[in-house]
Amino acid sequence: MADISPAPDQLCACGSGLKAGRCCALDWSKAWSRAASPDMAGRARAAFGAGDRAEGERLLIAAIEAAPLDVSALRALYDLRAPAHPAGAEALLARIVQIEPDNPDPALALAHRLAQRGAFHAAEPYARSGARGAPNDPKAHALLGRVLSETHRPQLAEPSFRRALTLSPKPSPALIADFAWSLRNQGRIAEARGLFEQAHALDPRRFNTLYAWARLEEADRRFDRAAELLDLAEQIAPGHPHVALQRAILSGRQGDNAGALAALTTLEKRADPSDIGLRLDIQTEKGALLDRMGRHAEAFAAFAASKQAMFDLTGQAYLGDAAAEQARRLKAVFTRQRMAALARARVRTDVPQPIFIVGFPRSGTTMIEQTLSAHPCISAGDELPIIGELVETGPALVGATLPYPEVLAGVGREGLERLRDRYLDRAREFGAMADGADWFTDKMPLNETHLGLISLIFPASPIIHLIRHPLDVALSTFANQMTHGFYCAGDLDSIARHYLLTLDLVDHYRAEIAPNVLAIRYEDVIEDQDAKVREMLAFIGVAFDPRCLAFHENRRYARTASYAQVGEKLYARSRYRWRGYRAQLAPLIPMLTRAVRRLGYEID
């Protein structure tokens, strides 16, 4: 969980006890003169000794201009600027990393600074580099785990956290609580709760442990316990804005929408304008409350404000060119002619098999997973990142030099079965295969992008493709924060562009390779739940079980943005929700009209 501990100007979030900005940075000013000219070094040292920082900084800049690759001078300038000029300090660290790519220290320092301000995606390559370069440093692995967890890949974060715990002679409460938060985001509530209890016992006065623990209890619908933990957090940090935020969320979860909105409005007026993360959370929650209250114009304005806050925080825009290029290459590889010449992996009968639940984010995949995993033969795997891993590592696994997807055109059955086995091994590592289950679900959004790969390594596995009115999908994606799909969720235009790109790719797959897909409309499940549940279970090949009709009683925690909704009985208020936002969505309608009609919907 992003650090929100009190007085961030006093202590560093990593738990070292050192001042912020210093714990992960070296004192490089002592070493800089080794590569500068003796005259420059002496003059700069004299300036610093006399307290003339401006002259010392000028001399450092002159040394760097004369020798741009002088790492010691860059380090000294970083050490000088780091406390007061964060952006400039990050740029200096980036230059040092370029010059010394094998040195883990500047990479870790840069990753730490980026993570401190919430730029976790930007921090990831530096955190990975630092962990590779310092394989026995527990702080390096803890930082990588936190970055992966905060970029919504808690399964991938787990090995890093476990490595950090193994390497730490005395694990800190911060490390234990960060690991607990990552497990919470995997839906492993009991394990996470135990770790929060352990971290709290080690340091009962640690604010972040109590706050994150309260959020876990809220997600698990234990509202009274969440309130008790927030009370303890407020004793440590009276008036902390994130406690007020979480109290408002609790009120909304218990049906007091008006009270929750009033609390958020008060908090918004009092909040520090420079706290972008808090602004983002306030606007996201306000939008959800206003939407439930039917105040659509105000809700849309809050959604837009939350998107702007996310961009201010990360600077990440839609990677549309990369998405289009990937689709072009996939279409070129997965054609009827090429697929006819390829073998398929055989079905393994010794392990549970995957059920792929695919669809654009916010199309209803979480509801369907909750429905199916209520069946005793089906366990919930949640959002397994394994197909994405195979896209990245597949060529190396089969010993080929061609990249994905081109590599698949020349892979025989043995290579495909190696990919199949890697997927199943990873699914077991992620805990997707429950004892006694014949099947497990994989509902990673946008896995439909890789229907070709799935069809080669799991040709008999059922694929359930969730479809929802395109305008409802676009609106709901805009109302929530997510990173799936090349960061397409930042604005309405990029959401629509990626939706159309994905739909076109699915049409290509269905025409060229005939994957084992059952298309299910979200609205049809709402209208006739019994019939659609029976249809899905028959498609999978398991007997009907009435527990699947009461998915809201499934105590499994869904870690997506839908976690609150899937704890409720089936309702119709999200069906054709876009109609309340017709004016705001007007620019989108011409873009999506063909898709709306192609899927059998109307714009009425």
Side-chain angles (χ1 to χ4, degrees), residues 261 285-296 298-299 302 581:
L261 182 61
E285 188 63 24
K286 275 185 66 177
L289 289 167
L290 289 163
D291 176 77
R292 291 202 292 269
M293 298 167 74
R295 294 163 61 175
H296 297 128
E298 295 171 85
Y581 295 86

Side-chain angles (χ1 to χ4, degrees), residues 448-514:
E448 64 267 33
T449 302
H450 303 294
L451 286 181
L453 172 62
I454 292 170
S455 296
L456 287 175
I457 61 177
F458 291 106
S461 278
I463 304 168
I464 297 175
H465 182 208
L466 261 292
I467 297 168
R468 186 181 178 190
H469 195 296
L471 287 170
D472 273 341
V473 170
L475 173 64
S476 193
T477 302
F478 188 67
N480 290 278
Q481 302 296 343
M482 56 193 66
T483 59
H484 303 300
F486 292 86
Y487 308 102
C488 69
D491 59 61
L492 289 174
D493 180 78
S494 59
I495 292 168
R497 287 167 56 198
H498 201 70
Y499 181 90
L500 293 171
L501 185 76
T502 305
L503 183 63
D504 179 65
L505 186 56
V506 171
D507 285 345
H508 171 87
Y509 283 132
R510 300 199 71 164
E512 294 290 325
I513 68 173

Side-chain angles (χ1 to χ4, degrees), residues 32 35-37 40 59-75 95 99:
W32 79 273
S37 69
M40 187 74 71
L59 290 167
L60 283 176
I61 293 171
I64 293 168
E65 289 176 347
L69 301 183
D70 184 348
V71 171
S72 55
L74 288 166
R75 286 173 169 173
R95 287 180 65 182
I99 298 167

Side-chain angles (χ1 to χ4, degrees), residues 100-117:
E100 294 187 337
D102 296 327
N103 184 351
D105 292 326
L108 289 169
L110 180 53
H112 182 267
R113 294 192 70 92
L114 291 165
Q116 281 290 88
R117 64 175 178 85

Side-chain angles (χ1 to χ4, degrees), residues 324-342:
E325 175 62 12
Q326 181 192 65
R328 183 195 66 77
R329 292 170 59 200
L330 287 166
K331 286 181 180 180
V333 168
F334 291 103
T335 64
R336 184 181 292 108
Q337 182 177 5
R338 286 189 173 185
M339 291 294 285
L342 294 179

